[in-house]
Every structure is written in C-alpha cells, then in structure tokens.
Amino acid sequence: MDLGTTSLVATSLGAAGAFAVGAVARRALRSRADARAHAENVARRRDLPRSLHPVVDTDVCIGSLACIKSCPEGDILGVVGGTTTLVHADHCIGHGRCAAECPVQAIQLVFGTERRGVDLPEIDEFFEASRPGVHVVGELGGMGLIKNAMRQGIECVEYLAALPERAVAGQVDLAIVGAGPAGLAAALAARHAGLSFRVLEQDTVGGTVAHYPRQKLVMSEVVELPLFGPFGKKRLSKEELLSSFQRMVAKGGIAVEEGVRMAGLEGEDGAFELLTEGSAGRVRARKVLLAVGRRGTPRKLGVPGEEAEKVTYRLADPAQYQDRDVLVVGGGDSALEAARALSSAGARVTLSYRGAALGKARAENRAAVEALARAGSLRLALASQVRSIAAREVVLALAE
C-alpha cells in the first residue's frame, strides 16, 4: 500500500470514527433529555396514555430508533436508561406508525394500563367478540384514530368476505351498526367484495363526528379505501370530513338508514336478528359489525340539576353562546377545545377541572387555554368539582 493510499485510508477511518463518536454523544445527550422529560411527566402525573399506545418489548428491541423517528406527533417515544420508553404518554394518540416501522416487531399497540384500565370488549385477531359472529371495530374496540378505525373496518370485512357462507333469502351478509369512519369504510369494503349489507345509524352520517364543533380540526392520514381511493390528510376540518363521508356514501352507493338505533340482538352466528328502534324493524343478518363508538351515551356528573335544559353534552355552534356565561367541565382535549371555541365566539367562559393541572390534554390545547386565562379571556377553576346545577348558577366545590 503506497503512502497516498495509506493516508486516504487513515483519513477515512478518522472521519468514520469521528462520526461514530459524534453519533454516540448525540444519543447520550438525547437519552439524558428523554430521562428528564419522562421524570417530569411522572412527577406531574402526565405519564398515563389517554388512548391506544405502544408498549415496547425490551427483550426484542434492537434500538434502531425507527419508532421514534416515524411518529407523526414528534418525540412521543424516547430512550430512557437504554430502553425505548413512552416519554410523552399523554400526547400519544395511537397513530400506530411506530409499530409499523419497527424492524423487529418489538412494539405492540394496547389500550389501557395497569394503573388506568379501560372497559373494552374482548376481540380476537379477526375483531370477533366473545359472541360468535359479532365483530367490533373502531372506537368501541379501542381504535379511536380515524385512519386506524377505517383500516379495522376494511380488514374485518375482508376476513368475512373470504368465508364461504353467504346470506339466504330475507337476510343480508352483514349488518353494520354505525355510520362513522369505521362503519362507512366497512360498507365500502363490503360493496367492493360483493357482500350484501345494511348500515344502521342512530343519528346521522358521520356518527360522533357530526356533533363536533364547527371547524374543529381532526387528524388523520391518507387511507386507501375500496371504490373510493385515497381518503384524508394530516389535518382537516369537521366540515371537510363530513363532506368526504357524503362522497363515500354516494360513490359506494351506500344507503345509510339514519335514525335507527339497535335495541337488541337475537339469534346466533349465521342467523342474527337485530331489534331496532326506528323504521328498520327487525334486521336479519349472517354477521354483525359494531362500529358505534364509545360516545353515544355521554358520561354524566351525577349531581342535582344535570337534567336541566341548559346542560348540554355537545357543542355544535359556539356562536349561539355569545355574551353568555358558560361553564365547561373537563380537562381533556374536547373540553379545552370547547372552551377555546366559546371564548373566541364571545362567551364568558369558566373551565372547571377536578385536577390541579391540565395534564390530560395535548400541549397545544393546554398552552392556548392557559394563554387565554392569563389574558383574562377565560377563567380557570382547577381542583374543582360540580356539586349542583340551579337555574341561574352552578355550585363548585374547591379542593382545600
């Protein structure tokens, strides 16, 4: 090896070594920063995930950091003590990209924790519940994110379409309960697969989405839907989403039976009868797909006066509350977004939350609400709980 070659090799090795040392140093700095953030979130009780979230098998993880880099929400995962950790658990919304990008399948998506359980139906890999023939997708099954819910609906129908049995006279192959994202995607998949089906919706097309506040921004990702093509984008308004749902209905030739509530289920796998309230009567179906979400029945406060006409569980049009005193109860994203919208519409808003800090909501919403409070545009009543509701006042109990 001549002198020139030796010098080139030495220079290359030196550069590679410097790069490696720099990479190790950057990773060490990142790890220390992640550890501090995680410890701070634990101290502030922000370490519990609010929805679907990743759990890392440390025995399988090889530390590629692909999961960290792939998250659309930013640095949700981090490295603590050499182990991939859910650092900002309260910001995780269950995209699932981390699990998809992991090269060794070390990540499992779960719902609930040992410290924060959740009442979800038990379903198998085909979304089938403990009652044979009944399948559960979307928010009711733990998949609250729009693109995840849609994919569940499609995958479930693809599984059902591969089964050899078909409906007999007087019944359909599939009864889909709910016309939200999961239900509509399932209907498109059923149409594409040649299955007969009926879509029952107790309210209107869009389900819970139809009752979001005006111009509420929702998050999604592009999903390839049968017969429709690409659907969604990173951020879209409620109105854009509902318009897309209507296009899905039209393009797929889907007849959504609105105002029909499922009241009971009789029969068995292959021969079900759905009892309904509304115009549908009894619906006979081989299989049943529940895509009803978890928000059909709002959680109530259990205090005197909550049945009053002035108490509402949905905010459709903030403008109707202009120049009025409004109490918003809750510390999650929905409550904070409602408080922001009402304040912008000219209402005098008080936000009551039982916690001492707004730890459940996303950082963007927390910062916006806290800024409104500092500016005097909104009143924060932390560590408070509603005790009673009267005609012209609400009584709050403040923690000592």
Side-chain angles (χ1 to χ4, degrees), residues 40-52:
E40 180 181 338
N41 286 331
V42 170
R44 294 184 177 183
R45 303 183 69 179
R46 294 178 180 173
D47 59 319
L48 294 181
R50 296 172 294 141
S51 62
L52 191 75

Side-chain angles (χ1 to χ4, degrees), residues 277-298:
E277 296 175 358
S279 59
R282 286 178 172 256
V283 177
R284 298 178 60 206
R286 284 192 49 77
K287 303 285 184 180
V288 176
L289 181 63
L290 300 179
V292 295
R294 300 172 64 218
R295 302 179 188 178
T297 303

Side-chain angles (χ1 to χ4, degrees), residues 145-155 181 185 188 219-226 228-234 248:
L145 203 65
I146 290 173
K147 63 108 175 180
N148 287 342
M150 285 183 158
R151 286 175 179 167
Q152 273 199 346
I154 294 169
E155 290 171 12
L188 283 174
M219 299 186 68
S220 182
E221 289 184 56
V222 176
V223 184
E224 191 70 27
L225 299 179
F228 187 82
F231 172 91
K233 57 184 180 180
K234 184 170 178 60
M248 289 166 57

